[in-house]
Amino acid sequence: MKLAGHPQPAGDARTDRDLVYAARDGVTEAFDALFYRYRDGIFRLGLAITKDPSAADEIVIDTFARAHRALARLEPDDSLRPWLYRVAVNLSYNRRPRKNVVLSSLDDAADEALANEEGSPPNVAEQAELRRLVLGAVDELGPKHRLVVVLHYLNGLNLTEIAQVVDCPIGTVKSRLHYALRRLRTHLAAHPELGIEPSRPLLATGLRGRRPITAPVPLEDE
Amino acid sequence: MKLFARGCGLSQLPYTARAEDLSIRDRFEIEAHAATCPECAAALREVHSVDAALRSAFAPLRERRATLAPGRVRLALNSRRVERSTLFRLPRVFGRLAEVSVMVGVTLFVIGGSVEYPQSVAPQQPRSIIQDYFRKQPPTDEIDYFRWLRLNRTESAMVVSDPVRFPDGGRYDFDLVEPVRAPTASPR
């Protein structure tokens, strides 16, 4: 989406490393290219944590201001993304809403996006309700587990990048994601409209035995 | 003897496999393992539905975009640079200090109520005989002399005639002066 008031440059094919070195030499366009490359992702991350669009805007500005000041000592191997997201996560947690302040949640933002969606009103309303349920369940996770889910499903980071962002071993990230998905599954199974089967104890269903499974769900099914 | 079933050691793998950048070989191995391990097959089936729900729920949020321009970052950097400069901050501090001083002075004056020196603490100067002597001497200058006369009135000078004039026998004790009009050219 291009905005009339903010002309965006065409996608720069240079790597982050090249852009950082160019920006270090004072090339303004290189820093602008980095800004446009990561602006939206950082905005979404800030919005997911703070739930405040204006705070998310400030987080984007502060993150890139810090990046600009750190250009001299920045040594990105190939991607600047984990470093920027780490700064954004820290800034977002500093600006988290207080307990008494009521701000729009993730599902409000989803409703806003759904307002532009095409389709019959009942279908749109049904989709909005399902999304509200899922995002409400994500909101109920603990901050560490929610952050992993948001970084993966909202920002599209893989486990290695998430480990760099949250500054912990990749095994910890796997454990957190595993816990979060199991918790979400338990929570969402209470809503049959989502089509998620309630988890049954394996021993009770007889799955513990060495009976072969006929049709396991393939990983690449999308 | 096992008291509790420990389960498959790879049961966490199906949950995290979708988030990892696995090669085709790794994916094939996981699916092959799930074909023989019921626990991992169940986990793979479970995570599939949750994963689909999450991807669907986050899809509209992934379309949200910021409306910021890089100029905002440069503005933030410049404003911070100006704020940090001591040379720019110093005159502002002194100006503010002067303003506050004036405000405090005006406030104290309003509360105090007068610019005069308080009588209770006025210094009592000793009376000088020499100054008294010279004060009694008439000045030589004409203007100063009249001023001296006015300020040093004696008792005789203070006596004035009775200000209330009463009529005496139907007439006042002085003749009223009739105003005399000049003859006019009026025909009457």
Side-chain angles (χ1 to χ4, degrees), chain A residues 88-104:
Chain A
V89 166
N90 291 334
L91 289 172
S92 302
Y93 276 109
N94 287 342
R95 290 170 191 261
R96 260 191 310 179
R98 292 174 191 163
K99 284 183 181 176
N100 297 334
V101 179
V102 179
L103 293 169
S104 64

mmCIF file with all atom_site columns, all heavy atoms in Angstrom, chain A residues 88-104:
data_model
loop_
_atom_site.group_PDB
_atom_site.id
_atom_site.type_symbol
_atom_site.label_atom_id
_atom_site.label_alt_id
_atom_site.label_comp_id
_atom_site.label_asym_id
_atom_site.label_entity_id
_atom_site.label_seq_id
_atom_site.pdbx_PDB_ins_code
_atom_site.Cartn_x
_atom_site.Cartn_y
_atom_site.Cartn_z
_atom_site.occupancy
_atom_site.B_iso_or_equiv
_atom_site.pdbx_formal_charge
_atom_site.auth_seq_id
_atom_site.auth_comp_id
_atom_site.auth_asym_id
_atom_site.auth_atom_id
_atom_site.pdbx_PDB_model_num
ATOM 1   N N   . ALA A 1 88  ? 13.258 -2.867 19.293 1.00 0.00 ? 88  ALA A N   1
ATOM 2   C CA  . ALA A 1 88  ? 11.820 -2.536 19.312 1.00 0.00 ? 88  ALA A CA  1
ATOM 3   C C   . ALA A 1 88  ? 11.100 -3.263 20.451 1.00 0.00 ? 88  ALA A C   1
ATOM 4   O O   . ALA A 1 88  ? 10.219 -2.681 21.095 1.00 0.00 ? 88  ALA A O   1
ATOM 5   C CB  . ALA A 1 88  ? 11.189 -2.909 17.973 1.00 0.00 ? 88  ALA A CB  1
ATOM 6   N N   . VAL A 1 89  ? 11.492 -4.506 20.704 1.00 0.00 ? 89  VAL A N   1
ATOM 7   C CA  . VAL A 1 89  ? 10.848 -5.251 21.800 1.00 0.00 ? 89  VAL A CA  1
ATOM 8   C C   . VAL A 1 89  ? 11.149 -4.568 23.137 1.00 0.00 ? 89  VAL A C   1
ATOM 9   O O   . VAL A 1 89  ? 10.257 -4.375 23.975 1.00 0.00 ? 89  VAL A O   1
ATOM 10  C CB  . VAL A 1 89  ? 11.331 -6.712 21.803 1.00 0.00 ? 89  VAL A CB  1
ATOM 11  C CG1 . VAL A 1 89  ? 10.969 -7.400 23.112 1.00 0.00 ? 89  VAL A CG1 1
ATOM 12  C CG2 . VAL A 1 89  ? 10.713 -7.470 20.651 1.00 0.00 ? 89  VAL A CG2 1
ATOM 13  N N   . ASN A 1 90  ? 12.411 -4.178 23.327 1.00 0.00 ? 90  ASN A N   1
ATOM 14  C CA  . ASN A 1 90  ? 12.766 -3.516 24.590 1.00 0.00 ? 90  ASN A CA  1
ATOM 15  C C   . ASN A 1 90  ? 12.008 -2.197 24.756 1.00 0.00 ? 90  ASN A C   1
ATOM 16  O O   . ASN A 1 90  ? 11.503 -1.895 25.839 1.00 0.00 ? 90  ASN A O   1
ATOM 17  C CB  . ASN A 1 90  ? 14.279 -3.256 24.642 1.00 0.00 ? 90  ASN A CB  1
ATOM 18  C CG  . ASN A 1 90  ? 15.054 -4.539 24.777 1.00 0.00 ? 90  ASN A CG  1
ATOM 19  O OD1 . ASN A 1 90  ? 14.548 -5.529 25.294 1.00 0.00 ? 90  ASN A OD1 1
ATOM 20  N ND2 . ASN A 1 90  ? 16.291 -4.561 24.297 1.00 0.00 ? 90  ASN A ND2 1
ATOM 21  N N   . LEU A 1 91  ? 11.946 -1.424 23.678 1.00 0.00 ? 91  LEU A N   1
ATOM 22  C CA  . LEU A 1 91  ? 11.216 -0.151 23.751 1.00 0.00 ? 91  LEU A CA  1
ATOM 23  C C   . LEU A 1 91  ? 9.726  -0.389 23.994 1.00 0.00 ? 91  LEU A C   1
ATOM 24  O O   . LEU A 1 91  ? 9.083  0.351  24.737 1.00 0.00 ? 91  LEU A O   1
ATOM 25  C CB  . LEU A 1 91  ? 11.406 0.633  22.450 1.00 0.00 ? 91  LEU A CB  1
ATOM 26  C CG  . LEU A 1 91  ? 12.787 1.229  22.205 1.00 0.00 ? 91  LEU A CG  1
ATOM 27  C CD1 . LEU A 1 91  ? 12.880 1.797  20.802 1.00 0.00 ? 91  LEU A CD1 1
ATOM 28  C CD2 . LEU A 1 91  ? 13.071 2.332  23.216 1.00 0.00 ? 91  LEU A CD2 1
ATOM 29  N N   . SER A 1 92  ? 9.200  -1.447 23.368 1.00 0.00 ? 92  SER A N   1
ATOM 30  C CA  . SER A 1 92  ? 7.767  -1.731 23.526 1.00 0.00 ? 92  SER A CA  1
ATOM 31  C C   . SER A 1 92  ? 7.447  -2.118 24.961 1.00 0.00 ? 92  SER A C   1
ATOM 32  O O   . SER A 1 92  ? 6.425  -1.692 25.509 1.00 0.00 ? 92  SER A O   1
ATOM 33  C CB  . SER A 1 92  ? 7.349  -2.858 22.588 1.00 0.00 ? 92  SER A CB  1
ATOM 34  O OG  . SER A 1 92  ? 7.633  -2.536 21.263 1.00 0.00 ? 92  SER A OG  1
ATOM 35  N N   . TYR A 1 93  ? 8.307  -2.917 25.568 1.00 0.00 ? 93  TYR A N   1
ATOM 36  C CA  . TYR A 1 93  ? 8.025  -3.309 26.949 1.00 0.00 ? 93  TYR A CA  1
ATOM 37  C C   . TYR A 1 93  ? 8.194  -2.147 27.909 1.00 0.00 ? 93  TYR A C   1
ATOM 38  O O   . TYR A 1 93  ? 7.587  -2.123 28.981 1.00 0.00 ? 93  TYR A O   1
ATOM 39  C CB  . TYR A 1 93  ? 8.896  -4.494 27.357 1.00 0.00 ? 93  TYR A CB  1
ATOM 40  C CG  . TYR A 1 93  ? 8.282  -5.796 26.914 1.00 0.00 ? 93  TYR A CG  1
ATOM 41  C CD1 . TYR A 1 93  ? 8.829  -6.542 25.891 1.00 0.00 ? 93  TYR A CD1 1
ATOM 42  C CD2 . TYR A 1 93  ? 7.104  -6.250 27.503 1.00 0.00 ? 93  TYR A CD2 1
ATOM 43  C CE1 . TYR A 1 93  ? 8.246  -7.719 25.467 1.00 0.00 ? 93  TYR A CE1 1
ATOM 44  C CE2 . TYR A 1 93  ? 6.516  -7.425 27.088 1.00 0.00 ? 93  TYR A CE2 1
ATOM 45  C CZ  . TYR A 1 93  ? 7.086  -8.151 26.071 1.00 0.00 ? 93  TYR A CZ  1
ATOM 46  O OH  . TYR A 1 93  ? 6.481  -9.301 25.657 1.00 0.00 ? 93  TYR A OH  1
ATOM 47  N N   . ASN A 1 94  ? 9.012  -1.155 27.529 1.00 0.00 ? 94  ASN A N   1
ATOM 48  C CA  . ASN A 1 94  ? 9.097  0.049  28.365 1.00 0.00 ? 94  ASN A CA  1
ATOM 49  C C   . ASN A 1 94  ? 7.836  0.889  28.263 1.00 0.00 ? 94  ASN A C   1
ATOM 50  O O   . ASN A 1 94  ? 7.553  1.701  29.135 1.00 0.00 ? 94  ASN A O   1
ATOM 51  C CB  . ASN A 1 94  ? 10.293 0.908  27.933 1.00 0.00 ? 94  ASN A CB  1
ATOM 52  C CG  . ASN A 1 94  ? 11.588 0.277  28.356 1.00 0.00 ? 94  ASN A CG  1
ATOM 53  O OD1 . ASN A 1 94  ? 11.610 -0.582 29.221 1.00 0.00 ? 94  ASN A OD1 1
ATOM 54  N ND2 . ASN A 1 94  ? 12.681 0.672  27.718 1.00 0.00 ? 94  ASN A ND2 1
ATOM 55  N N   . ARG A 1 95  ? 7.120  0.730  27.167 1.00 0.00 ? 95  ARG A N   1
ATOM 56  C CA  . ARG A 1 95  ? 5.915  1.541  26.954 1.00 0.00 ? 95  ARG A CA  1
ATOM 57  C C   . ARG A 1 95  ? 4.656  0.725  27.104 1.00 0.00 ? 95  ARG A C   1
ATOM 58  O O   . ARG A 1 95  ? 3.620  1.116  26.591 1.00 0.00 ? 95  ARG A O   1
ATOM 59  C CB  . ARG A 1 95  ? 5.931  2.124  25.543 1.00 0.00 ? 95  ARG A CB  1
ATOM 60  C CG  . ARG A 1 95  ? 6.944  3.181  25.325 1.00 0.00 ? 95  ARG A CG  1
ATOM 61  C CD  . ARG A 1 95  ? 7.024  3.489  23.860 1.00 0.00 ? 95  ARG A CD  1
ATOM 62  N NE  . ARG A 1 95  ? 8.160  4.315  23.562 1.00 0.00 ? 95  ARG A NE  1
ATOM 63  C CZ  . ARG A 1 95  ? 8.097  5.610  23.399 1.00 0.00 ? 95  ARG A CZ  1
ATOM 64  N NH1 . ARG A 1 95  ? 6.964  6.204  23.504 1.00 0.00 ? 95  ARG A NH1 1
ATOM 65  N NH2 . ARG A 1 95  ? 9.181  6.302  23.122 1.00 0.00 ? 95  ARG A NH2 1
ATOM 66  N N   . ARG A 1 96  ? 4.740  -0.390 27.748 1.00 0.00 ? 96  ARG A N   1
ATOM 67  C CA  . ARG A 1 96  ? 3.532  -1.207 27.892 1.00 0.00 ? 96  ARG A CA  1
ATOM 68  C C   . ARG A 1 96  ? 2.477  -0.429 28.655 1.00 0.00 ? 96  ARG A C   1
ATOM 69  O O   . ARG A 1 96  ? 2.806  0.341  29.569 1.00 0.00 ? 96  ARG A O   1
ATOM 70  C CB  . ARG A 1 96  ? 3.846  -2.506 28.645 1.00 0.00 ? 96  ARG A CB  1
ATOM 71  C CG  . ARG A 1 96  ? 3.998  -3.673 27.707 1.00 0.00 ? 96  ARG A CG  1
ATOM 72  C CD  . ARG A 1 96  ? 4.035  -4.942 28.463 1.00 0.00 ? 96  ARG A CD  1
ATOM 73  N NE  . ARG A 1 96  ? 4.981  -4.901 29.560 1.00 0.00 ? 96  ARG A NE  1
ATOM 74  C CZ  . ARG A 1 96  ? 5.172  -5.916 30.383 1.00 0.00 ? 96  ARG A CZ  1
ATOM 75  N NH1 . ARG A 1 96  ? 4.486  -7.014 30.226 1.00 0.00 ? 96  ARG A NH1 1
ATOM 76  N NH2 . ARG A 1 96  ? 6.038  -5.832 31.351 1.00 0.00 ? 96  ARG A NH2 1
ATOM 77  N N   . PRO A 1 97  ? 1.196  -0.607 28.309 1.00 0.00 ? 97  PRO A N   1
ATOM 78  C CA  . PRO A 1 97  ? 0.153  0.152  29.012 1.00 0.00 ? 97  PRO A CA  1
ATOM 79  C C   . PRO A 1 97  ? 0.059  -0.258 30.468 1.00 0.00 ? 97  PRO A C   1
ATOM 80  O O   . PRO A 1 97  ? 0.316  -1.412 30.818 1.00 0.00 ? 97  PRO A O   1
ATOM 81  C CB  . PRO A 1 97  ? -1.124 -0.227 28.264 1.00 0.00 ? 97  PRO A CB  1
ATOM 82  C CG  . PRO A 1 97  ? -0.806 -1.505 27.587 1.00 0.00 ? 97  PRO A CG  1
ATOM 83  C CD  . PRO A 1 97  ? 0.646  -1.483 27.287 1.00 0.00 ? 97  PRO A CD  1
ATOM 84  N N   . ARG A 1 98  ? -0.269 0.714  31.292 1.00 0.00 ? 98  ARG A N   1
ATOM 85  C CA  . ARG A 1 98  ? -0.468 0.415  32.707 1.00 0.00 ? 98  ARG A CA  1
ATOM 86  C C   . ARG A 1 98  ? -1.737 -0.391 32.886 1.00 0.00 ? 98  ARG A C   1
ATOM 87  O O   . ARG A 1 98  ? -2.582 -0.466 31.993 1.00 0.00 ? 98  ARG A O   1
ATOM 88  C CB  . ARG A 1 98  ? -0.567 1.715  33.493 1.00 0.00 ? 98  ARG A CB  1
ATOM 89  C CG  . ARG A 1 98  ? 0.732  2.461  33.520 1.00 0.00 ? 98  ARG A CG  1
ATOM 90  C CD  . ARG A 1 98  ? 0.537  3.799  34.179 1.00 0.00 ? 98  ARG A CD  1
ATOM 91  N NE  . ARG A 1 98  ? 1.690  4.640  33.991 1.00 0.00 ? 98  ARG A NE  1
ATOM 92  C CZ  . ARG A 1 98  ? 1.684  5.933  34.173 1.00 0.00 ? 98  ARG A CZ  1
ATOM 93  N NH1 . ARG A 1 98  ? 0.588  6.531  34.551 1.00 0.00 ? 98  ARG A NH1 1
ATOM 94  N NH2 . ARG A 1 98  ? 2.768  6.650  33.994 1.00 0.00 ? 98  ARG A NH2 1
ATOM 95  N N   . LYS A 1 99  ? -1.869 -0.952 34.069 1.00 0.00 ? 99  LYS A N   1
ATOM 96  C CA  . LYS A 1 99  ? -2.995 -1.859 34.293 1.00 0.00 ? 99  LYS A CA  1
ATOM 97  C C   . LYS A 1 99  ? -4.337 -1.135 34.205 1.00 0.00 ? 99  LYS A C   1
ATOM 98  O O   . LYS A 1 99  ? -5.324 -1.686 33.763 1.00 0.00 ? 99  LYS A O   1
ATOM 99  C CB  . LYS A 1 99  ? -2.862 -2.519 35.666 1.00 0.00 ? 99  LYS A CB  1
ATOM 100 C CG  . LYS A 1 99  ? -1.808 -3.608 35.659 1.00 0.00 ? 99  LYS A CG  1
ATOM 101 C CD  . LYS A 1 99  ? -1.721 -4.296 36.986 1.00 0.00 ? 99  LYS A CD  1
ATOM 102 C CE  . LYS A 1 99  ? -0.648 -5.366 36.955 1.00 0.00 ? 99  LYS A CE  1
ATOM 103 N NZ  . LYS A 1 99  ? -0.470 -5.987 38.270 1.00 0.00 ? 99  LYS A NZ  1
ATOM 104 N N   . ASN A 1 100 ? -4.355 0.132  34.628 1.00 0.00 ? 100 ASN A N   1
ATOM 105 C CA  . ASN A 1 100 ? -5.637 0.843  34.658 1.00 0.00 ? 100 ASN A CA  1
ATOM 106 C C   . ASN A 1 100 ? -6.022 1.427  33.310 1.00 0.00 ? 100 ASN A C   1
ATOM 107 O O   . ASN A 1 100 ? -7.146 1.845  33.108 1.00 0.00 ? 100 ASN A O   1
ATOM 108 C CB  . ASN A 1 100 ? -5.586 1.972  35.700 1.00 0.00 ? 100 ASN A CB  1
ATOM 109 C CG  . ASN A 1 100 ? -5.387 1.416  37.083 1.00 0.00 ? 100 ASN A CG  1
ATOM 110 O OD1 . ASN A 1 100 ? -5.751 0.282  37.355 1.00 0.00 ? 100 ASN A OD1 1
ATOM 111 N ND2 . ASN A 1 100 ? -4.781 2.201  37.943 1.00 0.00 ? 100 ASN A ND2 1
ATOM 112 N N   . VAL A 1 101 ? -5.049 1.505  32.406 1.00 0.00 ? 101 VAL A N   1
ATOM 113 C CA  . VAL A 1 101 ? -5.324 2.124  31.114 1.00 0.00 ? 101 VAL A CA  1
ATOM 114 C C   . VAL A 1 101 ? -5.905 1.075  30.176 1.00 0.00 ? 101 VAL A C   1
ATOM 115 O O   . VAL A 1 101 ? -5.351 0.002  30.003 1.00 0.00 ? 101 VAL A O   1
ATOM 116 C CB  . VAL A 1 101 ? -4.023 2.700  30.513 1.00 0.00 ? 101 VAL A CB  1
ATOM 117 C CG1 . VAL A 1 101 ? -4.300 3.320  29.161 1.00 0.00 ? 101 VAL A CG1 1
ATOM 118 C CG2 . VAL A 1 101 ? -3.439 3.728  31.447 1.00 0.00 ? 101 VAL A CG2 1
ATOM 119 N N   . VAL A 1 102 ? -7.055 1.413  29.590 1.00 0.00 ? 102 VAL A N   1
ATOM 120 C CA  . VAL A 1 102 ? -7.706 0.472  28.669 1.00 0.00 ? 102 VAL A CA  1
ATOM 121 C C   . VAL A 1 102 ? -7.417 0.914  27.249 1.00 0.00 ? 102 VAL A C   1
ATOM 122 O O   . VAL A 1 102 ? -7.753 2.023  26.858 1.00 0.00 ? 102 VAL A O   1
ATOM 123 C CB  . VAL A 1 102 ? -9.228 0.439  28.908 1.00 0.00 ? 102 VAL A CB  1
ATOM 124 C CG1 . VAL A 1 102 ? -9.892 -0.516 27.939 1.00 0.00 ? 102 VAL A CG1 1
ATOM 125 C CG2 . VAL A 1 102 ? -9.514 0.031  30.348 1.00 0.00 ? 102 VAL A CG2 1
ATOM 126 N N   . LEU A 1 103 ? -6.744 0.076  26.514 1.00 0.00 ? 103 LEU A N   1
ATOM 127 C CA  . LEU A 1 103 ? -6.439 0.390  25.126 1.00 0.00 ? 103 LEU A CA  1
ATOM 128 C C   . LEU A 1 103 ? -7.041 -0.686 24.236 1.00 0.00 ? 103 LEU A C   1
ATOM 129 O O   . LEU A 1 103 ? -7.432 -1.751 24.691 1.00 0.00 ? 103 LEU A O   1
ATOM 130 C CB  . LEU A 1 103 ? -4.917 0.447  24.922 1.00 0.00 ? 103 LEU A CB  1
ATOM 131 C CG  . LEU A 1 103 ? -4.216 1.599  25.631 1.00 0.00 ? 103 LEU A CG  1
ATOM 132 C CD1 . LEU A 1 103 ? -2.727 1.405  25.576 1.00 0.00 ? 103 LEU A CD1 1
ATOM 133 C CD2 . LEU A 1 103 ? -4.586 2.921  24.999 1.00 0.00 ? 103 LEU A CD2 1
ATOM 134 N N   . SER A 1 104 ? -7.089 -0.382 22.955 1.00 0.00 ? 104 SER A N   1
ATOM 135 C CA  . SER A 1 104 ? -7.648 -1.363 22.028 1.00 0.00 ? 104 SER A CA  1
ATOM 136 C C   . SER A 1 104 ? -6.725 -2.575 21.972 1.00 0.00 ? 104 SER A C   1
ATOM 137 O O   . SER A 1 104 ? -5.512 -2.461 22.018 1.00 0.00 ? 104 SER A O   1
ATOM 138 C CB  . SER A 1 104 ? -7.774 -0.739 20.652 1.00 0.00 ? 104 SER A CB  1
ATOM 139 O OG  . SER A 1 104 ? -6.504 -0.420 20.160 1.00 0.00 ? 104 SER A OG  1
#
